[in-house]
Amino acid sequence: MAEVTESAAGNRNAMTDDEVLGMVDANRTPAAALVSTIIPVFNRAAQLREAVHSVLAQSYRPLEIIIVDNASTDDTARTVTALAHAHPREVRIAQCSTRGAGAAREVGRCLARGEFIQYLDSDDVLLPGKFTAQVRALRAAPQCAIAYGITRFRSRDGQLVQGPWKGTGEQVDQLFPSMLLNRWWDTSTPLYRRAIVERAGAWLNLLNEEDWEYDCRLAAMQVRLSYVPELVSETRDHAGERLNRGGSHDAAKLADRAQAHTLILQHALNAGITCNTPQMQHFSRALFLLARQCGAAGLSKASQQLFNLSRDNAQPQRRKALDYRLYALAACLLGWRAAGKLACWRDQLRH
């Protein structure tokens, strides 16, 4: 676990890893009705203010906000402290020395006291009635562990895109098998019962696709979803730094994507999803594409593993297809890196 410090209003006291874990144990009985919102932030002071104020503007109470400063190097720390001083009853702050949203969310999860858990990226916002609608939905459906609603998207020029973002306008009862096609909601969309968050366990310290792996881990638990057919959050694009950018070329991010994809596949297999489903066929092809990208980046071991996983989980007749046989031959003759570069070059020519 990352080294953390925690404070209610800027007076930081160092805590050991054992002490943080002890807080988790002490909080096994959640504060009834409390919604804990966990916001990791890195060098994003202005957008953080908007994210925090969107939580404070909720019509629902009680709530708490845990801001986790993910080793910011600008004036974000000052903004975090100012927010905690201005709203001492709602805002708590912590620091995470390990870079990455997953590590920061895990620090927040360990400190959260609420019956319900909301994760929020610091560049996105919640809409005012989110908690009221989603808590009501979970109260009305005790068999459901997650409530979700419609997310909208705002482009970097400030324009709202018409219609629901990704798949948030569609009602589904469970995350699998559709979550194999893509992560069809954003971090701001769902509200979780604390009990299911605790069962899911720790966030992984990945720089890419840690959120998709987390949701597929929940999907393997076959949790039930409650759908709220109204707007609940807004995803915002911008020109600033985002960890999910450059995931097709950056070797470190590709390595994390390879790990996430491998785990997602295992979650799907644990849930009983077979190669005959369209969703697994889609994911098998995605594994093949990622195998080529990893090979081109010099991640030969990951490339070979993903290729084998792709072929093993394709439909029986698909495993004998020409593209698999030619790629395996190229990797054998040229090596996985050269095979990946050649395949990526061919993909670029086609586009």
Side-chain angles (χ1 to χ4, degrees), residues 157-185:
D157 63 2
Q159 298 299 310
L160 281 173
V161 175
Q162 293 299 313
W165 177 235
K166 296 184 176 179
T168 60
E170 302 174 13
Q171 180 175 357
V172 296
D173 294 328
Q174 293 186 320
L175 290 167
F176 271 158
S178 61
M179 194 59 76
L180 276 181
L181 298 175
N182 55 57
R183 188 173 184 251
W184 50 262
W185 64 24

Side-chain angles (χ1 to χ4, degrees), residues 220-248:
M221 298 162 60
Q222 300 182 338
V223 298
R224 299 287 300 278
L225 307 179
S226 177
Y227 181 57
V228 176
E230 57 188 81
L231 284 167
V232 298
S233 65
E234 178 178 298
T235 295
R236 298 179 168 186
D237 193 16
H238 56 84
E241 180 180 355
R242 303 188 79 149
L243 283 176
N244 61 0
R245 289 190 177 131
S248 299

Side-chain angles (χ1 to χ4, degrees), residues 268-287:
L269 295 175
N270 290 343
I273 299 177
T274 70
C275 64
N276 294 319
T277 63
Q279 294 85 358
M280 183 62 87
Q281 294 172 37
H282 175 91
F283 193 73
S284 173
R285 290 192 292 272
L287 289 171

Side-chain angles (χ1 to χ4, degrees), residues 107-123:
V107 168
R109 185 187 74 87
C110 291
L111 298 173
R113 300 177 295 205
E115 180 183 358
F116 305 99
I117 302 294
Q118 170 74 54
Y119 296 108
L120 176 62
D121 292 341
S122 57
D123 47 359

Side-chain angles (χ1 to χ4, degrees), residues 26-44:
N27 289 327
R28 286 301 181 190
T29 302
L34 177 68
V35 175
S36 298
T37 301
I38 298 163
I39 309 177
V41 62
F42 173 77
N43 288 0
R44 202 177 274 163

Side-chain angles (χ1 to χ4, degrees), residues 62-80:
L63 59 81
E64 69 172 355
I65 303 169
I66 302 170
I67 306 172
V68 184
D69 186 357
N70 198 193
S72 294
T73 57
D74 62 359
D75 64 346
T76 296
R78 262 197 311 274
T79 299
V80 171

